Amino acid sequence: MSLNELQQQYSHMNNMQQQAVFTTEGPLLILAGAGSGKTTVLVNRISYILKSELCKPWQILAITFTNKAAGELKERICNAIPEGGNDIWAATFHSTCARILRRYGDRIGYTNRFTVYDTDDTRRLMKNILKQLHIDEKILPHRTVLSEISKAKDKMQTPEQMKKEADFDSRKMSISKAYELYQNNLKTSDAMDFDDLLCNTVLLFEQAPDVLEYYQNLFKYIMVDEYQDTNKVQYKFVSMLAQRSNNICVVGDDDQSIYKFRGATIENILSFENTFKGAKVIRLEQNYRSTKTILSAANKVIENNTARKGKTLWTENEQGEKITVHTAMSERDESAYIAETILDGVANGRKFSDFAVLYRMNAQSNSVEQALARSGIPHRVIGGHRFYDREEIKDMTAYLQVINNPHDDIRLRRIINKPKRQIGETTVEKAAEIASGLGESIYSVIKNAELYPSLSRAEKKLKEFCKMIDGLIEAENSGDYTLAELYNLILEHTNYKSFLKAEKEDADIRIENIEELLTNIINFEQDYGEEASLSNFLEDISLQTDIDNYDTEADCTVIMTLHSAKGLEFPVVFIPGMEDGIFPSMATIMNPEEMNEERRLAYVGITRAKKKLYLIKAKERMLFGSTSRNRQSRFLGEIPEELLERTGDERKFEIPSGFSQGLGSKVTIGSFAQQKKPSYSVSVGAKPTTGGQTAQTYNVGDAVLHKVFGKGMITKAEKMGNDTMLEVAFETKGTKTLMANFSKMEKL
C-alpha cells in the first residue's frame, strides 16, 4: 500500500487531527482543547505508526493518568489493529513504573513481590511513626507530614537532603525525621507508596544505566496523555526514556491544568518547545462535544487567564439552549431545584444518567444527595466510600497482601488479631520494637518468638498464626490453586465469616461484600489469563481510583467534584455554588496564580456539558454550620449576558446584620429578570412549596401517579419529623422509597 493510499484511510479526520497523526518523527506537542477528539488522535496515530511498519507494537509506550483511560485506549487500539494491538504498552505512569520495578527492582534492593501501599496504609504507618517520635498530631497532623513527604519525592529529595534544608526550622526537622523513619519502614516491609513507584524507577535508571538503555532501545515511540497534569518526576521519567529516539508526543491542554495541589506543574507543557528542541506544536481547536453557546461561554471565561498558550475552540454543532443561571434562596432550595429539574428532564424523555452535578467542595454534596434521595432519583457519588475502602474488604485484601509479602508490617498488624486470636496490641507493639531494633520485619520476629522473652506469653498463639500464614504462602507458591481457590482457603482457615456474624450487626451486607470480592478475583483471572498472579491482582486494585469504577452504563445521576469530572462528559450539567468564596474558593481570590487555576477548573466544568448547562447560586448558604451571603461568582460575570437566561429570585438585596459577609456589605445577585420557573424553597420543618402549593398528604392504599415512575400504590407510610417516608409499589418501576414532601405525586 502506498503512503498516499494509507493516509486516505484517515480522511474522516479534520485537517489538524490528520497533521497530528502523520507527524511521527521528533518531539510533538498536541494542544488538544476540550472535546477536540484527542483520544481519537492518539488511537489513530498509533494505528498509523503500526500500519506504516515504523516499529513493532511492543515498541510503543502510551501513558495515561487513569486505569480507565488506559483500558479504553487499549480497547480502541485493539479494534483498530486486531493483530498485535494488545502488545502495546498502554498504562498509567504508576502501572508502567510498577511493571519495570517488578522486573528490575532487585537492582535497588526490592524483591519482585514488593507491596504497593495505598493512602490508608500510608496514613496508618505515619500515625505509628509520629507516636514513635512522640510528635503530637494536634501540632503536626499525619496528613501534613505525608503531604510534605510527597512534595519532597516529587523533587527527588531524600530524607537527608530535607534534613539539611531544615537547618534550624524545628517543624521541618520533625518532618525530615518522620520521612527517614517512613522510608526505612517501607524498605523493611518491601513496600512502596505511589510516589515511590515513580521515584524508584528514576533512581533505577540513574543507578543502572544498562536498564535505562534497555528501555530506551525498547520504546521507539512514546506518547503521554494529559501532559499538563504531569509533575517533575513524571517529566524526568519520560524525558529519560525519550533521550535516544527523541520521538516523544505529548497531548494536553494548558487550559485544563487543575491538579497543582497534587504536584502537577503547568510549566511542563508551557516550556515543552524549550525542553525538546525542534518540537512541533499542533493545535486541535474544533470541539465535537458542546453546543456553540456552551463553548462561547467557556472561551470567554478562560480568555481572562494569563500564562496560557492560547487557542479558541470552535464547533460546527448547533447553537443550543442558553445557559440557565438560577438564583436559589438557600443551598436546600438549590438542591430541590436540581432534583425537580432532573425529574422534569426524565419525564420528557431523558435518562437519569444524562445528568451530572459538579461541585467545588465535597461539603456541597450533602444537601444535593439528600434532595435526590428524597425525590427517588437514583444517584451515585464519585469519591464516596469505595468498595476497596470498606473494612471487611480491607481485611481480606490484607490477608492476600501478607501471603504475597509476609514482611508487610502494616497489613500484618491489621489482621494478626482479626478474627481475635488472643494476640493483643501490647504483644504486637513489643514485636514491633524488637523488629525495629533488629532492622527486620514483625513477621520475622514473631516467627521466632521463642528467642524473645518479652513474647513468651504469646508464643503459642504467634506460632499458630505464622503456621497458618506459612501454609497459605505454600499453597500460593505451589501453583496448585487458582486465586479464587486461594481466597476461599483464607476464608476457610480464618473463619472470617463466622467472626463477622458474631461481631457485626450488618454481617449479611459485609459477607455479601467479601463474596463480591471473589467475583472481582474471578473476573480478574478471566481477563488476565496466564498473567493473573496474586501480585498482579493486588497491584491492579491498589492502583484503582474511584473514577476507574464509574459505570457509564448505569442509569443514575452522577454527583462529583469538578476535579473528578475532567475527562468525562454529560448531556446536562449542574454547577451549584456559583458564588465568590465558594467557586472561586476564598483561599484563591487574593492569589493571581491560584485564581488562574480556579478559572481553569471553571473552564473544565463548563466544557463537561454537551447540550445544557445550569449555573446555580444561592442568596444565602449554610456550610460547616455557619450561614453566609456572597457575591455571584466572578466567572458568571465573565460570560456575556446574551448567552444566559436567568431564573429564580434575581432581586437586589442588602446583607442584613448578623450574617458573615463575603466580599462586601452590598451585594447584587443579578439584574431583574422574568422568573422562568418557580423557586423551590425548602426550610427545616416546613414543606417545600411550588408556586404556593402545599404538599399532598398520603395514606397506605392510595393510588398515585408520579411523573417519572408512573402509576403505583402506597404500601407504607412512616411519619418522620415534619415529613413522611413512603414506600410506593410502581407498576413498571418496582418499589421506590420517597419522602412525601419531595415526591410530587398526584393521588388518583
Side-chain angles (χ1 to χ4, degrees):
M1 186 186 299
S2 70
L3 181 63
N4 188 50
E5 286 175 325
L6 177 59
Q7 292 188 347
Q8 281 298 313
Q9 294 183 15
Y10 301 90
S11 58
H12 61 284
M13 306 177 78
N14 68 43
N15 181 50
M16 298 310 288
Q17 288 177 330
Q18 288 182 48
Q19 279 191 46
V21 167
F22 302 149
T23 305
T24 60
E25 307 306 304
L28 173 64
L29 168 60
I30 302 173
L31 278 175
S36 61
K38 68 181 177 66
T39 307
T40 298
V41 168
L42 271 177
V43 170
N44 282 279
R45 190 172 188 271
I46 292 169
S47 159
Y48 179 73
I49 287 169
L50 292 177
K51 287 179 179 178
S52 301
E53 298 183 351
L54 297 173
C55 71
K56 300 296 184 185
W58 57 85
Q59 293 178 306
I60 295 175
L61 172 63
I63 298 178
T64 65
F65 265 79
T66 66
N67 290 308
K68 184 181 177 69
E72 288 174 356
L73 181 64
K74 197 150 193 173
E75 184 181 341
R76 288 176 66 172
I77 291 168
C78 289
N79 289 337
I81 308 286
E83 286 190 24
N86 207 40
D87 294 327
I88 289 163
W89 282 53
T92 63
F93 272 105
H94 292 104
S95 295
T96 303
C97 290
R99 185 171 173 182
I100 292 170
L101 290 168
R102 292 280 175 214
R103 184 170 181 181
Y104 292 107
D106 61 316
R107 303 284 285 272
I108 55 171
Y110 290 87
T111 74
N112 63 358
R113 298 172 76 95
F114 66 82
T115 299
V116 181
Y117 276 7
D118 64 16
T119 306
D120 185 57
D121 300 320
T122 58
R123 285 176 184 167
R124 284 169 178 264
L125 176 55
M126 186 50 68
K127 284 181 176 181
N128 290 337
I129 288 169
L130 294 181
K131 281 181 188 174
Q132 197 175 329
L133 292 172
H134 306 292
I135 294 173
D136 188 348
E137 274 227 49
K138 291 178 183 174
I139 298 170
L140 191 57
H142 71 277
R143 290 172 188 264
T144 303
V145 179
L146 287 169
S147 174
E148 291 301 316
I149 290 173
S150 184
K151 288 175 186 174
K153 289 183 178 183
D154 180 28
K155 296 185 288 186
M156 297 291 290
Q157 186 182 53
T158 65
E160 293 74 24
Q161 290 167 332
M162 184 189 271
K163 202 173 285 184
K164 281 182 185 176
E165 196 180 88
D167 204 12
F168 295 107
D169 187 326
S170 60
R171 182 176 177 275
K172 283 186 179 177
M173 185 58 74
S174 294
I175 292 172
S176 67
K177 287 177 181 175
Y179 183 10
E180 185 176 29
L181 270 178
Y182 177 75
Q183 288 306 113
N184 289 342
N185 271 271
L186 285 172
K187 199 68 182 283
T188 303
S189 298
D190 194 22
M192 302 184 200
D193 64 17
F194 290 144
D195 293 319
D196 285 330
L197 291 173
L198 291 154
C199 291
N200 284 337
T201 306
V202 171
L203 182 68
L204 170 68
F205 287 167
E206 290 174 341
Q207 294 188 0
D210 58 313
V211 175
L212 173 60
E213 187 179 7
Y214 169 78
Y215 284 105
Q216 285 176 336
N217 290 330
L218 176 64
F219 298 127
K220 304 296 185 191
Y221 293 92
I222 297 168
M223 287 170 237
V224 185
D225 194 11
E226 305 287 7
Y227 191 66
Q228 77 282 347
D229 294 332
T230 54
N231 59 28
K232 291 173 185 173
V233 71
Q234 288 166 338
Y235 155 74
K236 190 165 186 179
F237 169 69
V238 294
S239 59
M240 289 175 86
L241 283 178
Q243 276 171 4
R244 181 153 300 207
S245 71
N246 208 32
N247 291 331
I248 180 168
C249 166
V250 301
V251 185
D253 182 3
D254 52 314
D255 289 334
Q256 294 187 72
S257 178
I258 59 173
Y259 294 122
K260 185 182 177 185
F261 68 95
R262 289 186 194 164
T265 172
I266 194 171
E267 285 75 24
N268 286 352
I269 195 167
L270 295 178
S271 62
F272 184 82
E273 299 104 303
N274 297 328
T275 307
F276 296 94
K277 301 301 180 186
K280 184 173 182 179
V281 180
I282 295 174
R283 286 172 166 79
L284 303 182
E285 297 177 304
Q286 183 175 357
N287 175 284
Y288 293 92
R289 176 188 299 156
S290 305
T291 63
K292 286 187 173 72
T293 297
I294 291 169
L295 213 54
S296 296
N299 284 332
K300 286 297 182 182
V301 169
I302 201 64
E303 72 183 20
N304 290 279
N305 260 10
T306 56
R308 58 187 293 257
K309 289 275 187 183
K311 63 183 174 307
T312 302
L313 296 189
W314 60 277
T315 184
E316 293 179 346
N317 292 344
E318 62 185 357
Q319 186 65 40
E321 295 181 55
K322 287 188 174 185
I323 296 165
T324 296
V325 176
H326 182 78
T327 304
M329 293 300 296
S330 67
E331 79 283 352
R332 289 164 65 83
D333 183 21
E334 177 181 69
S335 300
Y337 170 77
I338 291 171
E340 181 73 10
T341 306
I342 292 172
L343 288 174
D344 283 346
V346 174
N348 289 324
R350 285 202 180 278
K351 297 184 294 183
F352 288 111
S353 56
D354 287 345
F355 300 89
V357 185
L358 313 179
Y359 43 79
R360 178 64 184 85
M361 296 185 289
N362 277 306
Q364 289 175 259
S365 73
N366 183 29
S367 61
V368 176
E369 284 183 69
Q370 288 186 41
L372 298 193
R374 289 168 176 168
S375 300
I377 296 172
H379 60 280
R380 177 176 177 193
V381 183
I382 302 293
H385 206 46
R386 290 196 312 133
F387 177 74
Y388 286 105
D389 289 338
R390 298 176 191 278
E391 180 189 5
E392 61 276 11
I393 301 302
K394 280 276 188 187
D395 290 344
M396 295 314 300
T397 55
Y399 272 105
L400 290 168
Q401 293 280 11
V402 170
I403 292 165
N404 182 62
N405 172 16
H407 305 297
D408 183 343
D409 286 353
I410 290 294
R411 269 55 174 265
L412 182 84
R413 291 179 75 140
R414 183 181 185 99
I415 51 101
I416 193 169
N417 199 38
K418 190 185 276 191
K420 288 185 172 62
R421 300 185 176 91
Q422 296 176 304
I423 302 174
E425 186 61 31
T426 304
T427 299
V428 178
E429 286 297 335
K430 285 176 183 174
E433 283 176 25
I434 295 168
S436 180
L438 295 173
E440 294 184 1
S441 68
I442 293 174
Y443 191 73
S444 300
V445 169
I446 63 173
K447 199 169 178 182
N448 298 290
E450 73 278 4
L451 301 178
Y452 309 105
S454 59
L455 300 178
S456 59
R457 291 181 63 184
E459 180 188 336
K460 185 182 177 186
K461 297 296 181 185
L462 292 172
K463 289 280 192 180
E464 286 174 359
F465 173 74
C466 290
K467 184 180 178 183
M468 178 188 72
I469 295 297
D470 283 345
L472 291 167
I473 290 172
E474 190 178 332
E476 197 267 326
N477 289 337
S478 70
D480 295 336
Y481 297 88
T482 65
L483 278 183
E485 288 167 344
L486 178 67
Y487 182 74
N488 283 326
L489 277 179
I490 296 169
L491 288 173
E492 179 186 335
H493 286 279
T494 60
N495 290 316
Y496 190 80
K497 288 184 181 179
S498 300
F499 155 72
L500 288 178
K501 288 174 183 175
E503 298 285 333
K504 304 292 183 182
E505 289 183 6
D506 54 350
D508 290 346
I509 295 172
R510 291 173 185 264
I511 289 170
E512 284 177 6
N513 286 336
I514 61 175
E515 287 171 351
E516 184 61 21
L517 179 57
L518 178 60
T519 303
N520 290 3
I521 291 171
I522 292 168
N523 289 337
F524 174 82
E525 290 186 298
Q526 290 173 347
D527 291 342
Y528 280 71
E530 291 180 2
E531 293 183 13
S533 66
L534 175 58
S535 58
N536 282 347
F537 173 71
L538 294 170
E539 185 177 301
D540 185 67
I541 64 174
S542 71
L543 297 178
Q544 281 191 17
T545 65
D546 209 37
I547 291 296
D548 294 326
N549 298 321
Y550 167 47
D551 182 5
T552 53
E553 301 301 315
D555 188 20
C556 61
T557 296
V558 175
I559 313 172
M560 67 175 86
T561 64
L562 285 152
H563 282 100
S564 297
K566 194 160 80 66
L568 303 176
E569 58 182 42
F570 306 91
V572 184
V573 168
F574 300 91
I575 305 180
M578 292 298 293
E579 304 134 40
D580 272 4
I582 304 295
F583 189 32
S585 69
M586 190 62 74
T588 63
I589 285 174
M590 304 308 293
N591 185 324
E593 191 179 328
E594 297 286 344
M595 182 53 68
N596 277 345
E597 176 134 341
E598 200 80 349
R599 188 173 279 107
R600 291 194 290 269
L601 189 58
Y603 175 81
V604 166
I606 292 168
T607 53
R608 297 314 92 196
K610 294 166 72 174
K611 298 290 186 183
K612 178 66 181 177
L613 176 65
Y614 293 87
L615 304 175
I616 314 171
K617 52 196 171 76
K619 294 181 75 170
E620 63 181 56
R621 180 179 302 277
M622 181 179 285
L623 265 182
F624 312 119
S626 67
T627 302
S628 62
R629 290 190 172 190
N630 298 318
R631 283 192 176 103
Q632 75 165 12
S633 169
R634 61 197 60 199
F635 303 145
L636 279 178
E638 292 167 358
I639 301 173
E641 198 65 31
E642 63 266 20
L643 300 177
L644 308 175
E645 65 165 1
R646 293 183 179 264
T647 66
D649 193 337
E650 288 292 322
R651 291 168 295 174
K652 297 179 181 178
F653 63 87
E654 303 279 337
I655 293 183
S657 60
F659 280 99
S660 67
Q661 296 183 6
L663 296 170
S665 58
K666 186 171 182 177
V667 182
T668 304
I669 286 291
S671 59
F672 287 88
Q674 185 67 34
Q675 197 167 301
K676 306 287 182 187
K677 269 191 171 188
S679 178
Y680 304 94
S681 299
V682 185
S683 57
V684 178
K687 293 181 179 180
T689 57
T690 307
Q693 298 296 312
T694 46
Q696 285 267 20
T697 56
Y698 303 97
N699 299 299
V700 173
D702 283 350
V704 292
L705 177 66
H706 189 280
K707 63 183 172 185
V708 172
F709 305 131
K711 291 181 180 179
M713 178 174 287
I714 296 173
T715 58
K716 185 178 179 182
E718 187 176 323
K719 193 74 174 169
M720 296 185 71
N722 290 313
D723 207 343
T724 304
M725 185 174 72
L726 305 173
E727 278 190 10
V728 187
F730 291 101
E731 289 179 359
T732 58
K733 300 293 183 180
T735 299
K736 304 281 183 186
T737 301
L738 308 171
M739 298 306 290
N741 291 351
F742 287 78
S743 63
K744 305 289 190 299
M745 294 186 298
E746 294 177 32
K747 286 206 281 191
L748 299 177

